[in-house]
């Protein structure tokens, strides 16, 4: 049984995921964490005498060994580590929705203080790829930015959606670190500097990532899933009803391999084997876990696993010793094994008994309705499933439809569909009322995104009067583009927007791709190239044309730039295309983007104007205050009153101004996100090198504020014509 | 002294009922004892432990499900004869397994509880109690509600035979011959009875009881009246009590109380100077504890608590330390024993797996033929659906002998599913289709591996009634699922009680018409929980109920052709009126419904609600302040500048937050009930005041008792 080697109870709350350990003076490890009211506290148990005393930092009134750092803004991320290798001690980095502060705790000075328009939702510190100096990489609104110790912006790229988690990991085993980015669109993207080398789609927002060792890394989702990836392949995952607050890799059983340590929202901490996900250790806190870290907090040369709870409780664990033989829990391994084997035996015996009883029942009376309640059904009962597209009618919108039917007079009591990402929860249930029971059921499915989904079906089959049902379990795959119905072409409605590219594939192969990714009616017969197919989106009625010429040139017409990107990415992976240059034009979308860009400029100028006004006002306040105080000293109460009235009015103006600034800022953020997404989308229309070229070129165009070049890049893929 | 017990699993048999495992008396002091256990397959097994392995002494052939197992024998000699109750039959075995008795009682119901004392045999089926002496019928009693357990005070110590019945309607019935001597109410439905200290204590009259809502109590059954000695309150909301035993596990010369609960909790209580129980030890096992006894099995000289669980595990919690203090050679030997056990299990498994594979293939083949049928025997589900008084919500407990894969919960009435901390299953709420499929709730619970027990909490709304269905699918091939149904009754939050306050202002609802006693009883059963299915004996019957949420009461008295319902809560009367008239119309019975409304009762009910509402409002307000106050505390460093009220909030912060978390949506529920009260008050006057409800909610938002009463009067 592994017990904590130390337990601390701080009287400050710890904000989830915002806690870090650093040696801010080069020797003593201190714990820094964000707490309430826009403050960061630093717990320094080692040097009691030394007090930081300056403007930013002050002694905590609650505890002697805690100092508080005033940020005056809600902290959104925090980390500590070596930012400047020459300094020899760690810097503290604190991100908020608008700024990033690199702070030198020891000297009580700012290393840099940078405004970051895209906000900082997540932060990671370390070296990336070939960039020599350590970077503080922050992830915000669709954007990633990396700063060196002087605050120089050495790394900048965009990603698909708001970033929620970051990690550095040697993903491809070349000895250099790649950046893992988990974002709101459920994707984990791997950046080799600014090139995306891999993308894994998960089922929920990725809230945490952590490198394990080699190319292995752990991840956690907002729906309570944690798991481990090795490169692009998922090793294992488990799902809990609680949320994983923090994950960390630590070798707790001293076997030389890191375990995945998870801190949960219900106060549980568990350590799971990296290979199987089996729990090897667990402990409980009284409140949610805020962070899991490691550090030599006792300064005795041994690294401890340190778990921090939201209510300020901190426990440190030393890795298990060799004598414990990896046995960290209080039950013996043998007992557990015996229990498990006995359970297995019991299950097998039960199964055997099931077959015996079944054989007995078979010998007895012939099939009759009286068998209903006991759930006896003909042994040759089969379940048919079919996926099709339903164009809908007045009362029901168009949808993809799953039809399940039995092969005889048995009825379907209920259908459970377990699938991730397409329902509200992880499952969807169809349970007809007792009057509407029949042997077939039609289930409408409307996946919100174009992703292929595995539908795990559990169908309860029996008779009307049954209290026991047979459960038929099967899995069907819903193709990626199931929400598009094949329709006859209508040239008048052909979308103006298009992408155009050439692939060296036979038309038959394209037909196979179509069959795999769309729900085509069974009688569809596509002749040889050249041909064209037309689909209608069930979501918004938009048209999609796919035309293939003899030369292998493919044109995809659609007004939906995301759809075009999805189709290209899907084809690329199907035909194993490494690089694909594309010519594209989306006039409507580009026009919108142009407007957004104009708006961004406007908001920027408004922002500057407002800031200037605020500065003016603050000068005015100062003078008013001085004059009011003067009046008070002169005992000129009337003037003083007037001054304070003026001050009050000014204060009201300032408050109003603040509100305007806030609104302006949210609008700006929204628009910046749109711009970042546009670049990302333009990238998704290409594959491989052209993709990275487009993103880099777009970024340069935006920096130089050259809108026309930007659109040219988006159209043809390069800046030079 | 710290009590440190280590778990050791001995053996697994079939599914067991409560009180079906006993330890045979040891031949000498602290020698190892043999275990006898009876399961649902009807097998009685007696085994002892030899070198860490279970060695069977005897094992009978399968038969009917065994519902009780007791030890008996000639009084004042070792009690080592084994008696089992299966169906309506009692069988007796010697400790060597030789059957010496087979007694067919000819009871129409199967036996639920049994107690044996010398040649006296006390049996109870669902409602019937029988006393036999030397297998000859002596006494008989028909109980008003289900009998859960039966016991007799020790005849060797008292000059009389005093059987006691534990009945579902929260009453212990003390009998003399065929008649009730007296009844005594206990705080919950009693499920188990045991003699204090195993012999009835100093007086020989002390009786322990355990209730299905997890309370324990000690009562002295004197010849004239009961004396309540103590009772525990179950503040930790642990499961219902299934078995108790007295045994000195601590080793201080005083017998401790061993308790097994239906949520898998094993507890040891010792007694303090005032003879009140103090919890000394608890350990959570994963499934219901069906029997518990103290003794010595694994190794002589080491006392242990032996328990059997629902799925048939016999487990010991032993004082024998895991890590031996003796030489290293010993350790090796123990390991060797374990290894042998594991390897023998492994080979057994391999053999079984092969057999199962063959059978599976056969089963698959049968699906090709058109004549064959697929009949999978039902698995047993241990379920419990009870109203818990503390938070006026239902708890549904499902337990299966193997791991559960998933559970589908479907309801055709609006109910809320609440989160239970204990269960680890991933819940997912499905959208309920718009078509008229009568679904108000569809939720799936996907269980983690090795979950055999699932606990759910359900909050119902009075007046909305229907059925809750649970489809349980265990992880076993071929996959089947079982549908279980639970009724949500119209007055779902009411609970049976035996005493009500007759001074309250009451509203009356009177039914008259051409209906039989059985019919009116069936309506009461339909409307209210905890009423026995069977019409009680007699011409006229009265039941009392209490609303667990508001503490209002209901008195129902009915006979053939007439039913009278009295309640101080006008909403209760309104719900009854609606449901009864609907039911009568459905059965085409002509009913005359008349009611008498007492205006004062509304004010009375509002006054009853007032302290609850005020408390909740204050609590909500305080909880809201906590975060802000804490921030101030961090900023200022001390709390001296705060007014005492705020300082108090800070000091109690944790407690307040816990309290607040315990009763989610309590305020909304109270608001809902006040609104119902308002609407119902005027419904009886024939006016529809639905339009005024927003006004009422406004008043509730800035709550003041007088303003509310004035609004009720004025509208």
């Amino acid at each position: 049984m592994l017990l904590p080697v130390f337990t601390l109870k701080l009287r400050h709350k710890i904000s989830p995921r915002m806690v870090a350990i650093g040696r801010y003076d080069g020797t003593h490890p201190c714990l820094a964490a964000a707490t309430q009211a826009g403050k960061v506290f630093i717990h320094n148990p080692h040097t009691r005498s030394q007090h930081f005393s300056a403007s930013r930092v002050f002694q905590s009134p609650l505890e002697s060994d805690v100092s508080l750092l005033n940020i005056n803004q809600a902290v959104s991320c925090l980390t500590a580590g070596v930012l400047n290798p020459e300094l020899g001690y760690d810097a503290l980095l604190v991100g908020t929705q608008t700024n990033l502060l690199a702070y030198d705790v020891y000297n009580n000075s700012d290393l840099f203080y940078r405004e970051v328009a895209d906000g900082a939702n997540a932060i990671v510190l370390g070296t990336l790829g070939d960039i020599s100096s350590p970077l503080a990489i922050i992830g915000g609104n669709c954007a990633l930015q990396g700063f060196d110790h002087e605050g120089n912006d050495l790394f900048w790229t965009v990603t698909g959606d708001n970033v929620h988690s970051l990690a550095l990991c040697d993903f491809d085993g070349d000895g250099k670190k790649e950046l893992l980015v988990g974002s709101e669109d459920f994707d984990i993207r791997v950046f080799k500097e600014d090139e995306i080398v891999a993308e894994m789609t998960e089922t929920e927002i990725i809230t945490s990532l952590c490198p394990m060792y080699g190319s292995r890394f752990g991840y956690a989702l907002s729906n309570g899933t944690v798991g481990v990836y090795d490169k692009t392949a998922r090793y294992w995952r488990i799902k809990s009803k609680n949320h994983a607050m923090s994950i960390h890799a630590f070798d707790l059983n001293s076997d030389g391999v890191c375990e995945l340590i998870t801190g949960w929202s219900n106060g549980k901490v568990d350590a799971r084997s990296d290979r199987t996900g089996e729990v090897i250790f667990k402990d409980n806190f009284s409140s949610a876990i805020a962070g899991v870290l490691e550090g030599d907090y006792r300064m005795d040369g041994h690294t401890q696993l340190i778990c921090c709870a939201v209510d300020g409780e901190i426990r440190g664990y030393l890795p298990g010793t060799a004598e414990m033989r990896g046995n960290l829990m209080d039950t013996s391994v043998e007992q557990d094994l015996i229990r498990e084997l006995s359970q297995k035996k019991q299950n097998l015996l039960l199964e055997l008994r099931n077959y015996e009883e079944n054989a007995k029942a078979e010998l007895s009376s012939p099939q009759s309705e009286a068998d209903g309640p006991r759930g006896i059904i003909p042994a040759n009962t089969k379940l048919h499933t079919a996926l099709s597209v339903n164009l809908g009618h007045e009362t029901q919108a168009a949808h993809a439809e799953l039809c399940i039917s039995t092969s005889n007079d048995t009825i379907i009591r209920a259908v459970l569909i377990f699938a991730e990402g397409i329902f509200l929860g992880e499952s969807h249930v169809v349970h007809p009322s007792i009057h509407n029971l029949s042997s077939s059921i039609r289930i409408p499915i409307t996946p919100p995104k174009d992703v292929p989904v595995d539908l795990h079906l559990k169908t309860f089959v029996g008779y009307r009067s049954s209290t026991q049902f047979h459960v038929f379990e099967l899995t069907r795959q819903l193709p990626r583009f199931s929400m598009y119905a094949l329709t006859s072409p209508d040239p008048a409605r052909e979308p103006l927007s298009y992408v155009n590219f050439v692939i060296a594939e036979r038309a038959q192969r394209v037909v196979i791709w179509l069959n795999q990714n769309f729900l085509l009616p069974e009688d569809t017969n596509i002749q040889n190239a050249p041909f064209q197919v037309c689909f209608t989106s069930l979501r918004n009625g938009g048209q999609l044309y796919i035309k293939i010429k003899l030369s292998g040139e493919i044109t995809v017409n659609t007004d939906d730039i995301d759809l075009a990107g999805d189709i290209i990415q899907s084809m690329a992976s199907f035909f194993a295309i490494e690089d694909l240059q594309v010519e594209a034009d989306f006039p409507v979308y580009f026009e919108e983007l142009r407007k957004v860009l104009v708006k961004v400029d406007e908001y920027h100028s408004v922002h500057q104007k407002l800031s200037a006004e605020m500065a003016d006002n603050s000068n005015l306040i100062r003078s008013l205050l001085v004059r009011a105080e003067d009046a008070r000293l002169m005992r000129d109460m009337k003037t003083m009153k007037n001054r304070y009235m003026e001050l009050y009015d000014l204060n009201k103006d300032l408050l109003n101004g603040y509100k305007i600034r806030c609104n302006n800022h949210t609008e700006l953020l929204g628009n910046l996100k749109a711009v970042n997404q546009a670049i990302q989308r333009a990238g998704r229309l290409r594959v491989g090198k052209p993709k990275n070229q487009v993103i880099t070129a777009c970024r340069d165009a935006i920096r130089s504020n050259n809108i026309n070049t930007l659109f040219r890049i988006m159209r043809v893929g390069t800046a030079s014509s | 002294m710290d009590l440190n017990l280590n778990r050791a699993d001995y053996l697994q048999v079939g599914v067991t009922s409560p009180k079906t495992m006993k330890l045979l008396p040891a031949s000498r002091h602290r020698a190892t004892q043999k275990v006898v256990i009876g399961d649902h397959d009807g097998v009685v097994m007696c085994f002892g432990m030899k070198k860490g392995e279970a060695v069977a002494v005897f094992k009978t052939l399968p038969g009917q499900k065994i519902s009780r197992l007791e030890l008996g024998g000639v009084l004042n000699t070792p009690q080592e004869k084994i008696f089992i109750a299966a169906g309506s039959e009692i069988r007796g075995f010697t400790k060597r397994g030789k059957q010496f008795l087979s007694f067919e009682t000819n009871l129409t119901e199967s036996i639920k509880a049994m107690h044996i004392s010398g040649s006296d045999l006390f049996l109870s089926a669902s409602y019937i109690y029988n006393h036999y002496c030397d297998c000859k019928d002596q006494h008989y009693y028909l109980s008003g509600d289900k009998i859960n357990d039966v016991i007799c005070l020790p005849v060797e110590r008292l000059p009389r035979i005093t059987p006691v019945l534990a009945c579902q309607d929260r009453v212990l019935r003390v009998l003399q011959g065929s008649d009730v001597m007296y009844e005594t109410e206990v705080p919950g439905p009693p499920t188990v009875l045991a003699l204090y200290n195993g012999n009835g204590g100093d007086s020989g009259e002390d009786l322990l009881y355990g209730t299905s809502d997890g309370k324990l109590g000690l009562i002295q059954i004197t010849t004239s009246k009961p004396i309540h000695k103590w009772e525990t309150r179950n503040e930790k909301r642990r499961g219902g009590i299934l078995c108790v035993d007295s045994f000195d596990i601590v080793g201080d010369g005083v017998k401790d109380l061993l308790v097994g609960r239906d949520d898998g909790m094993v507890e040891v209580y010792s007694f303090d100077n005032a003879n009140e129980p103090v919890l000394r030890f608890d350990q959570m096992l994963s499934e219901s504890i069906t029997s518990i006894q103290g003794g010595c099995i694994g190794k002589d000289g080491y006392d242990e608590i032996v328990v059997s669980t629902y799925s048939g595990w016999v487990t010991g919690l032993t004082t024998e330390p895991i890590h031996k203090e003796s030489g290293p050679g010993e350790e090796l030997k123990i390991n060797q024993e374990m290894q042998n056990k594991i390897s023998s299990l492994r080979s057994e498994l391999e053999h079984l797996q092969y057999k199962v594979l063959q059978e599976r293939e056969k089963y698959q083949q049968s699906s090709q033929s058109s004549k064959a049928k697929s009949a999978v025997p039902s698995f047993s589900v241990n379920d419990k659906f009870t109203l818990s008084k503390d938070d006026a919500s239902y708890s549904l407990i499902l337990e299966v002998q193997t791991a559960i894969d998933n559970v589908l919960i479907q309801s055709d009435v609006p109910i809320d599913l609440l989160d239970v901390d204990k269960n680890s299953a991933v819940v997912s709420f499905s959208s309920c289709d718009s078509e008229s499929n009568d679904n108000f709730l569809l939720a799936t619970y996907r269980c983690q591996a090795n979950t055999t027990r699932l606990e759910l909490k359900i909050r119902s709304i009075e007046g909305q009634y229907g059925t809750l269905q649970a489809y349980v699918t265990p992880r076993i091939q071929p996959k089947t699922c079982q549908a279980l149904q639970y009724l949500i009754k119209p007055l779902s939050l009411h609970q049976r009680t035996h005493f009500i306050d007759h001074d309250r202002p009451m509203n009356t609802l009177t039914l008259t018409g051409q209906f039989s006693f059985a019919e009116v009883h069936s309506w009461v059963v339909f409307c209210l929980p905890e009423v026995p299915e069977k019409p009680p004996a007699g011409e006229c019957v009265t039941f009392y109920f209490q609303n667990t949420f508001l503490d209002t009461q209901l008195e129902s008295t009915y006979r053939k052709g007439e039913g009278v319902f009295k309640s101080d809560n006008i909403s209760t009367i309104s719900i009854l009126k609606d449901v009864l008239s609907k039911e009568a119309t459905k059965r085409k019975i002509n009913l005359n419904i008349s009611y008498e409304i007492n205006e004062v009762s509304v004010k009375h009910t509002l006054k009853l609600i007032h302290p609850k509402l005020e408390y909740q409002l204050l609590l909500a307000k305080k909880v809201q302040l906590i975060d802000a106050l804490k921030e101030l505390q961090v900023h200022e460093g001390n709390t001296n500048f705060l007014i005492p009220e705020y300082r108090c909030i800070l000091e109690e912060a944790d407690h307040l937050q816990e309290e607040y978390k315990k009763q989610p949506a309590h305020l909304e529920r109270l608001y809902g009930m006040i609104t119902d009260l308002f609407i119902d008050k005027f419904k009886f006057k024939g006016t529809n005041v639905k339009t005024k409800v927003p006004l009422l909610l406004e008043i509730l938002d800035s709550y003041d008792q007088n303003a509310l009463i004035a609004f009720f009067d004025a509208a």
Side-chain angles (χ1 to χ4, degrees), chain B residues 367-655:
Chain B
S367 71
Q368 305 298 326
S369 98
S370 57
K371 274 192 221 123
K373 288 182 299 183
S374 170
V376 172
S378 60
F379 50 92
S380 61
V381 180
N382 183 14
D383 58 339
K384 184 171 143 188
F385 185 65
T386 47
L387 176 65
S388 70
K389 199 179 170 181
D390 306 328
D391 53 359
S393 67
Y394 278 87
S395 86
L396 172 62
I397 296 168
L398 299 166
E399 189 170 16
V400 185
Q401 64 192 108
T402 60
I404 304 175
D405 185 62
N406 66 72
V407 175
L408 163 65
I409 301 286
Q410 181 265 344
S411 164
D412 58 0
V413 270
I415 51 169
D416 291 323
L417 271 184
L418 307 181
D419 189 42
V420 180
D421 283 341
K422 267 186 244 171
N423 85 44
S424 60
V426 179
V427 59
S428 157
F429 292 93
S430 169
S431 58
C432 297
D433 30 9
S434 52
E435 292 164 58
S436 58
N437 275 343
D438 299 339
N439 294 325
F440 275 99
L441 174 84
L442 285 172
T444 55
Y445 281 83
R446 195 167 52 80
C447 296
Q448 310 283 4
N450 299 330
T451 308
T452 56
R453 190 173 182 283
L454 189 69
E455 192 173 330
L456 314 174
K457 256 199 179 311
I458 291 146
R459 212 163 45 199
S460 60
I461 303 162
E462 285 213 323
Q464 312 251 31
Y465 57 100
T467 325
L468 173 78
Q469 293 195 85
Y471 293 86
V472 184
T473 315
R475 248 173 233 213
I476 187 160
Q477 293 297 330
K479 274 232 167 135
T480 53
C481 85
Q482 213 171 93
L484 303 161
Q485 292 196 334
Y486 306 94
L487 293 177
I488 308 272
K489 303 203 171 183
L491 293 172
S492 50
L493 299 181
H494 279 72
Q495 195 176 48
R496 272 283 289 284
T497 170
H498 292 271
F499 301 99
I500 61 166
D501 177 6
H502 287 280
D503 296 333
R504 293 188 184 180
M506 297 291 234
N507 306 292
T508 316
L509 177 79
T510 315
L511 304 176
T512 46
Q514 296 290 322
F515 49 80
S516 69
F517 182 59
E519 267 168 324
V520 64
H521 179 76
S522 76
W523 296 336
V524 173
V525 171
F526 182 80
C527 291
L528 285 149
E530 299 189 4
V531 184
E533 293 275 332
K534 229 165 107 172
E539 279 180 4
C540 174
V541 69
T542 304
F543 287 120
Y544 300 118
F545 299 92
Q546 191 182 25
N547 185 321
T548 50
F549 195 70
L550 294 181
D551 292 328
T552 59
Q553 55 195 31
L554 170 70
E555 176 187 346
S556 72
T557 310
Y558 51 92
R559 68 181 87 229
K560 178 172 179 279
E562 191 195 41
V564 180
F565 300 90
K566 287 184 183 169
S567 171
D568 51 345
N569 187 345
I570 227 171
S571 296
T572 310
I573 292 292
S574 163
I575 291 167
L576 272 175
K577 179 184 154 244
D578 291 350
V579 176
L580 288 175
S581 46
K582 214 188 225 169
E583 275 302 293
T585 329
K586 225 194 260 168
R587 295 179 201 188
K588 301 209 174 74
I589 290 173
N590 204 359
L591 261 193
N592 293 318
I593 300 182
S594 63
Y595 43 84
E596 205 177 293
I597 298 305
N598 188 341
E599 285 281 329
V600 188
S601 76
V602 177
K603 204 166 164 184
H604 160 80
T605 312
L606 285 177
K607 275 189 179 149
L608 268 185
I609 296 176
H610 173 70
K612 297 179 204 299
L613 191 60
E614 201 172 40
Y615 174 75
Q616 288 296 329
L617 283 170
L618 204 65
L619 185 65
K621 207 167 120 191
K622 281 180 179 171
V623 167
Q624 227 174 6
L625 281 173
I626 289 176
D627 266 347
L629 287 174
K630 280 209 169 152
E631 211 176 303
L632 276 176
Q633 188 187 11
V634 170
H635 202 86
E636 299 296 328
N638 59 44
T639 53
N640 300 336
F641 64 97
L642 290 173
I643 57 169
E645 188 194 335
Y646 286 167
R647 253 184 281 170
C648 187
I649 294 178
L650 269 179
E651 274 156 27
E652 292 177 349
D654 293 340
H655 173 73

Side-chain angles (χ1 to χ4, degrees), chain A residues 11-13 36-37 39 61-62 68 239-241 330 334-335 337-339 341-355 357-358 361-362 364-367 371 374-380 382 413-414 416 418 424-433 435-436 458 460 467-471 473, chain B residues 7-9 12-13 287 313 335 338-339 341-342 345-346 348-349 352 355-356 359-360 363 366-367 369-370 372-378 401-402 405-406 408 410 419-421 423 425-426 428 430-431 436-439 442 444 446 448 469 471 473 476-483 627 631 633-637:
Chain A
R11 289 170 67 192
H12 293 272
K13 285 207 164 184
Q36 291 163 317
K39 291 188 177 65
L62 294 179
L68 285 168
K239 190 172 170 187
S240 160
K241 71 166 186 170
D330 54 353
E334 281 97 352
Q335 280 281 358
L337 188 64
I338 287 178
R339 212 177 158 72
L341 290 175
S342 307
Q343 189 63 50
K344 246 188 208 159
K345 178 181 149 194
Q346 203 68 16
N347 281 350
L348 287 173
L349 281 173
L350 269 175
E351 190 176 341
L352 212 57
R353 193 184 64 132
N354 281 353
Y355 295 129
E357 294 277 322
N358 185 32
E362 225 165 276
S364 60
S365 62
Q367 179 73 33
D371 290 336
R374 283 161 55 212
I376 298 176
I377 60 167
N380 60 354
K382 285 206 170 56
R413 177 63 269 206
L416 273 66
F418 286 90
L424 279 165
E426 59 169 20
S427 69
H428 179 69
V429 182
V430 182
H431 183 275
S433 78
H435 314 293
N436 297 338
K458 291 180 198 293
F460 298 173
T467 55
Q468 182 157 339
F469 299 91
H470 283 253
V471 180
E473 289 181 310
Chain B
R7 176 174 175 179
D9 295 324
Q12 193 177 16
V13 295
E287 45 190 325
W313 271 105
N335 259 330
M338 280 288 194
Q339 292 305 331
K341 209 167 163 185
I342 289 168
L345 258 174
R346 282 234 159 96
E348 210 175 326
L349 265 179
L352 266 174
K355 219 164 143 188
V356 165
E359 289 291 329
R360 215 178 269 175
Y363 179 74
S366 78
S367 71
S369 98
S370 57
K373 288 182 299 183
S374 170
V376 172
S378 60
Q401 64 192 108
T402 60
D405 185 62
N406 66 72
L408 163 65
Q410 181 265 344
D419 189 42
V420 180
D421 283 341
N423 85 44
V426 179
S428 157
S430 169
S431 58
S436 58
N437 275 343
D438 299 339
N439 294 325
L442 285 172
T444 55
R446 195 167 52 80
Q448 310 283 4
Q469 293 195 85
Y471 293 86
T473 315
I476 187 160
Q477 293 297 330
K479 274 232 167 135
T480 53
C481 85
Q482 213 171 93
D627 266 347
E631 211 176 303
Q633 188 187 11
V634 170
H635 202 86
E636 299 296 328

Side-chain angles (χ1 to χ4, degrees), chain A residues 623-641:
Chain A
S623 69
L624 275 176
L625 200 63
V626 169
R627 276 194 279 167
E629 283 302 287
D630 281 350
R632 189 175 66 85
L633 290 175
M634 311 276 286
R635 298 189 180 279
D636 182 357
M637 287 308 158
K638 203 177 160 199
T639 324
M640 183 195 85
K641 212 170 161 190

